[in-house]
Amino acid sequence: MNIIKTFIHTNREVHGIDSVQEFLLPNIVDLKPNFIGMTSGKTYEIGLLVGTSRKWDENILFNELKKVRKIGFFGRKKKKEILKNYIAQIPKLREEFPDSIVKLDNDFKIVKVESRTEFLNRNKPKPKKLSNKVKESYLNFAKVCLNENDLAKFEKFVSELKNYDGHWQHGTTLNYVNDYLNKSKILLFIVLDWKAGIADFNWNLSSALENNFNRKIDLPSPNDYPERASVSFDNVFCDYKNLLNQSDLELSFIDTDSDQYVILVHPISDKETVRNSINGIELKEMKINCT
């Protein structure tokens, strides 16, 4: 059994943003020149060469495939031979055409289709038109959260904004907006992974307060919480919300149905505007219940 450093895999840019992320094997079930996913058992016409580090041989792969598809008793020797030849081909492929999309010919030989760059340039879907309601909602966020200079920049950006929901690269319009904000260093949303450290939140919030409202507020210290506690620790957000409320400021949270927090800091008086704008971008507000 050898360590395999290159294999063929699905890819969200190639197979769609909702595709299963899995390694691909030749279709020895139907003996057809396409791939079968090792996790889902789905069939694919193409796959992407990727780096990996797996200890596999034809027997292991055969048994893995049996878990997701019924292979049948007859012809097993031939099917394992196809898997063995498949493994033998792969090491040379990455040297010959790295980061490429491949398929199988009728003899189960792996052949290059094109580079991933070529494929994406040819198949990139154009973003759709964005509704005026969504544009207006993003602008309303900016009007209550940003300083005048950043607001002017953002207004120009929103005037040309398209709908990126379901886009192969960005996934959602909000993700596309956040990419622009990060590149432009505009502090409209604070985006944090659920495992992010409290110190990260503290720094981002302090920056937003100073940049957008010209305010310096003594925030809770990360040292007040257990070592390595994340922002998801009990009452962290409530502690910050309660303190900011004393300065007539509020934290609102956008529920993106993911493992991240998207947070806005804004005046309490604009709470209704923010709530309506969250609905306006076709998302929901995440409730943080504080006593």
Side-chain angles (χ1 to χ4, degrees):
M1 187 190 313
N2 296 321
I3 296 177
I4 299 174
K5 295 183 180 180
T6 303
F7 216 74
I8 300 173
H9 203 273
T10 55
N11 177 270
R12 287 196 171 104
E13 293 178 340
V14 175
H15 298 94
I17 193 165
D18 296 323
S19 61
V20 178
Q21 299 300 286
E22 55 186 339
F23 290 101
L24 302 179
L25 299 178
N27 186 353
I28 60 172
V29 176
D30 306 307
L31 293 177
K32 292 184 178 180
N34 52 28
F35 299 103
I36 291 183
M38 285 178 62
T39 302
S40 69
K42 292 176 59 177
T43 57
Y44 302 85
E45 295 301 319
I46 57 176
L48 180 71
L49 286 176
V50 299
T52 186
S53 180
R54 301 281 179 145
K55 285 191 175 182
W56 280 333
D57 60 19
E58 65 273 18
N59 294 306
I60 292 176
L61 293 179
F62 186 86
N63 290 329
E64 288 297 314
L65 196 53
K66 282 170 57 180
K67 296 177 183 178
V68 295
R69 291 286 293 270
K70 185 176 180 180
I71 296 180
F73 182 78
F74 295 102
R76 292 193 171 196
K77 183 176 180 180
K78 177 182 178 180
K79 292 171 182 177
K80 287 187 179 181
E81 189 68 24
I82 292 172
L83 290 175
K84 184 177 181 180
N85 292 336
Y86 182 71
I87 294 172
Q89 294 178 64
I90 290 176
K92 302 176 183 177
L93 299 179
R94 202 174 186 199
E95 297 176 8
E96 294 177 7
F97 34 86
D99 198 35
S100 290
I101 294 167
V102 296
K103 66 178 182 179
L104 294 170
D105 66 14
N106 290 329
D107 296 320
F108 292 98
K109 181 179 178 182
I110 303 168
V111 295
K112 178 181 177 180
V113 176
E114 57 191 333
S115 72
R116 175 164 56 170
T117 301
E118 290 170 336
F119 176 89
L120 294 178
N121 286 337
R122 186 169 53 82
N123 291 278
K124 278 183 183 178
K126 295 181 180 179
K128 303 173 185 177
K129 183 178 180 180
L130 189 65
S131 73
N132 289 331
K133 181 179 179 181
V134 175
K135 285 187 177 184
E136 183 180 350
S137 297
Y138 277 111
L139 286 176
N140 286 339
F141 286 140
K143 288 174 182 177
V144 302
C145 296
L146 295 180
N147 62 57
E148 291 184 4
N149 289 335
D150 287 343
L151 173 59
K153 296 176 188 176
F154 191 68
E155 284 177 331
K156 183 177 180 182
F157 166 76
V158 170
S159 70
E160 301 172 353
L161 183 61
K162 303 292 184 181
N163 186 337
Y164 285 85
D165 292 343
H167 189 266
W168 65 271
Q169 182 178 17
H170 301 285
T172 69
T173 303
L174 180 59
N175 288 342
Y176 181 80
V177 171
N178 276 324
D179 287 344
Y180 164 78
L181 294 170
N182 289 335
K183 291 174 184 176
S184 304
K185 298 182 179 179
I186 296 175
L187 303 175
L188 178 55
F189 302 116
I190 298 173
V191 182
L192 299 169
D193 185 86
W194 71 274
K195 296 181 292 185
I198 297 172
D200 292 337
F201 176 47
N202 203 301
W203 184 86
N204 280 281
L205 181 56
S206 294
S207 299
L209 289 170
E210 186 170 356
N211 190 73
N212 296 334
F213 302 101
N214 197 26
R215 301 279 296 273
K216 288 187 177 182
I217 297 175
D218 289 330
L219 300 173
S221 171
N223 296 327
D224 294 338
Y225 302 94
E227 187 178 0
R228 297 179 184 173
S230 74
V231 289
S232 300
F233 187 75
D234 291 346
N235 295 320
V236 169
F237 288 133
C238 288
D239 292 344
Y240 279 83
K241 280 171 66 73
N242 291 335
L243 188 146
L244 288 173
N245 288 167
Q246 297 173 24
S247 298
D248 297 322
L249 292 170
E250 179 63 284
L251 294 178
S252 291
F253 297 75
I254 300 176
D255 187 350
T256 60
D257 193 27
S258 67
D259 56 359
Q260 66 179 10
Y261 297 105
V262 179
I263 309 166
L264 300 104
V265 55
H266 58 85
I268 290 178
S269 58
D270 293 311
K271 179 65 180 178
E272 192 65 23
T273 298
V274 170
R275 181 179 291 117
N276 291 336
S277 297
I278 293 174
N279 294 330
I281 64 170
E282 301 172 356
L283 292 172
K284 296 179 180 179
E285 182 179 11
M286 180 185 291
K287 301 294 184 182
I288 304 293
N289 297 318
C290 300
T291 56

